[in-house]
Amino acid sequence: MATHRTFSRRNGVCAAVLLAGSLVWGSVHAQAPKYAQRPVKMVVPFAAGGAIDAMARPVADALGRELGQTVIVDNKPGAAGNIGAALVAKAPADGYTLLVGTSATHGANPAMFASLPYDAAADFEPISLWGAVPNVLVVNAAQGARSVPELIEAARREPGKLTYGSAGAGTSLHLAGVMFEKAAKVQLVHVPYKGGAPASMDLLGGNTNMMFDTISVALPNVRAGKLRALAVAAPERHFALPDVPTFAELGLPSVEAATWAGVFVPKGTPAAVVQELNAAFARVMAQKPVQDALRANGVQIQSLQGERFRTFVNGEIKRWGAMVREAKITPE
């Protein structure tokens, strides 16, 4: 009888353990992602190969692993990011279409375009800020000036002759050029492109004289000796270009511009999906491989989720808008 009672007690313990395990499994299973049942599209509103594209790809790969689904990077360049932003604003609010918003789409554009095809504040739900890349003034190493003072001297000798490319009117690359013109008291010709990559290609080909590019895109060509970096548009020297001075060091402290990027979803996306994405991006941005990939492209990481990101975006709309209105910048 004692043996029988002992066996019964052991069976009871085992059954209790199995029941507890099944309850835990059921709880975990119930908390598994509910919405990501098919591939997710991440729209980059600029050309492939540009700074924003370079930021998006390692983040998209990591997000795919977090969601258990493929995250497809879909480049939709044009109109300073407006084409891609409008596409996402009108997409179904189901979490399957994400926008990589920037200092253009959610900074300068609302002030620059009289009839924007989206409302930067009202049409999107901010999810996660990734970070920012300062701009750097670069010239063709085989043709361009060797310093900012030399470049300013050449521009003053022939006003309106030297050209600078950008990723499009109103982008931070363009606004950095406007700042430089004003601070250095020179007159340059702006040449807008559909993204930073084609602008960089034309500079390498000798078709423009200079450009403000994001460090992430300029860095490989600077290191290869194809481009020469003259100055960084940031308060302090950048970790990737420690020997390149800031504009402040050269007596032009007002020349300060960076390109930031983060992800948005259409307004009306279910709260549960927004929460899941907030949590997923928080985990993604904490991963060392993602951080290393971003820093390798010159990104200064600043991870903000949810309401903190919304506060940041509202401030950027005001800051960049004031700059655009003061410079009277219009689409080209």
Side-chain angles (χ1 to χ4, degrees):
M1 292 294 292
T3 303
H4 176 73
R5 285 196 298 271
T6 300
F7 182 77
S8 296
R9 284 198 299 271
R10 287 176 179 171
N11 275 348
V13 170
C14 291
V17 169
L18 289 172
L19 176 61
S22 66
L23 289 173
V24 169
W25 183 89
S27 174
V28 171
H29 181 71
Q31 295 173 11
K34 296 180 179 179
Y35 98 90
Q37 301 299 313
R38 54 186 170 86
V40 175
K41 181 162 61 176
M42 182 180 287
V43 175
V44 174
F46 297 98
I52 304 303
D53 182 72
M55 292 174 71
R57 290 185 183 275
V59 175
D61 288 344
L63 179 64
R65 290 189 291 273
E66 287 292 330
L67 297 179
Q69 293 289 338
T70 301
V71 176
I72 303 166
V73 175
D74 187 13
N75 298 90
K76 296 292 184 183
N82 290 345
I83 292 175
L87 185 152
V88 176
K90 298 170 184 174
D94 54 12
Y96 287 100
T97 307
L98 315 179
L99 170 69
V100 180
T102 70
S103 45
T105 62
H106 289 73
N109 290 6
M112 186 173 63
F113 291 85
S115 57
L116 204 63
Y118 62 91
D119 186 312
D123 288 348
F124 300 94
E125 188 70 35
I127 299 294
S128 175
L129 173 68
W130 303 339
V133 187
N135 293 338
V136 59
L137 177 60
V138 290
V139 297
N140 188 309
Q143 303 173 358
R146 303 194 67 82
S147 68
V148 169
E150 184 180 328
L151 183 63
I152 291 174
E153 182 181 347
R156 287 176 178 171
R157 278 199 309 267
E158 299 181 283
K161 182 177 180 180
L162 298 187
T163 59
Y164 71 98
S166 83
T171 61
S172 73
L173 309 187
H174 176 205
L175 293 174
V178 172
M179 294 178 197
F180 178 58
E181 285 188 276
K182 182 178 179 180
K185 297 180 174 61
V186 295
Q187 183 182 349
L188 307 173
V189 177
H190 175 227
V191 183
Y193 292 82
K194 290 185 177 181
S200 181
M201 290 300 295
D202 257 12
L203 178 62
L204 288 167
N207 297 317
T208 55
N209 299 113
M210 72 193 89
M211 74 174 289
F212 279 86
D213 206 350
T214 49
I215 287 178
S216 59
V217 174
L219 197 57
N221 286 317
V222 170
R223 288 175 173 167
K226 297 177 181 179
L227 295 179
R228 181 179 299 116
L230 301 186
V232 176
E236 299 177 354
R237 294 195 181 198
H238 193 271
F239 62 84
L241 295 171
D243 297 327
V244 178
T246 67
F247 278 95
E249 291 177 67
L250 301 174
L252 303 171
S254 62
V255 184
E256 183 180 323
T259 297
W260 59 261
V263 73
F264 299 76
V265 292
K267 195 72 172 180
T269 298
V273 174
V274 170
Q275 291 171 4
E276 185 176 331
L277 285 170
N278 280 334
F281 274 106
R283 294 192 298 270
V284 165
M285 295 306 297
Q287 294 174 16
K288 189 175 184 301
V290 173
Q291 295 178 355
D292 289 345
L294 293 176
R295 288 194 181 103
N297 283 299
V299 179
Q300 294 176 317
I301 297 170
Q302 183 182 5
S303 180
L304 297 175
Q305 275 75 43
E307 289 304 312
R308 294 176 65 200
F309 185 28
R310 188 191 307 279
T311 299
F312 172 87
V313 170
N314 290 339
E316 287 294 282
I317 291 174
K318 292 179 182 177
R319 184 174 78 90
W320 288 97
M323 194 182 307
V324 168
R325 286 187 290 270
E326 180 184 354
K328 298 179 181 179
I329 297 173
T330 58
E332 297 182 12

